[in-house]
Every structure is written in structure tokens, then in C-alpha cells.
Amino acid sequence: MSTITYQVTGMTCGHCEGAVKSEIGAIPGVTEVKAVAATGLVTVVAEAQPDDAAVRAAVDEAGYELVGRA
């Protein structure tokens, strides 16, 4: 298992957290996602190292911006 934390901008509430969690959670191999709007941190647990491009695309799809790894 691999755990990576990303910095995401634009999340302001629980709905935002849910949207990000849903999109990233759909990436194959991702087993857990924790998004915290107050800090902008999104922690991704996956079977292998998550593909940053796939995570960025998922965050974009949710309507937010991935700044990079935290």
C-alpha cells in the first residue's frame, strides 16, 4: 500500500470533499481517500503508487485544482 497527500485548492465544504473523494476514489487501485476542505489536503491510499496525472485529472473533473504533493 502507498499513501500520498496532495494539496488541492478550491474546496470549501463537505460537498467539495465528497466530490473530490468520489472522483479520486474511482481511479483503479485507490482504496481510500480523505479530503479536508479546511486544509486543502487530500490523502490517497492505493495498492501501488498513485499516478499523479490520473489524480490531477480526477481533481479537475471534480472542479478543483491540484497544486501538487503536500
Side-chain angles (χ1 to χ4, degrees):
M1 296 299 258
S2 179
T3 303
I4 304 294
T5 301
Y6 296 93
Q7 182 72 48
V8 175
T9 60
M11 295 189 301
T12 58
C13 64
H15 179 277
C16 300
E17 294 171 348
V20 170
K21 287 169 58 175
S22 176
E23 291 295 336
I24 295 174
I27 297 171
V30 171
T31 58
E32 182 181 343
V33 180
K34 179 181 179 189
V36 181
T39 62
L41 298 178
V42 178
T43 303
V44 179
V45 179
E47 296 167 356
Q49 186 81 276
D51 176 25
D52 288 345
V55 173
R56 181 175 303 279
V59 171
D60 286 347
E61 182 66 27
Y64 305 97
E65 182 181 353
L66 178 69
V67 176
R69 292 189 180 199

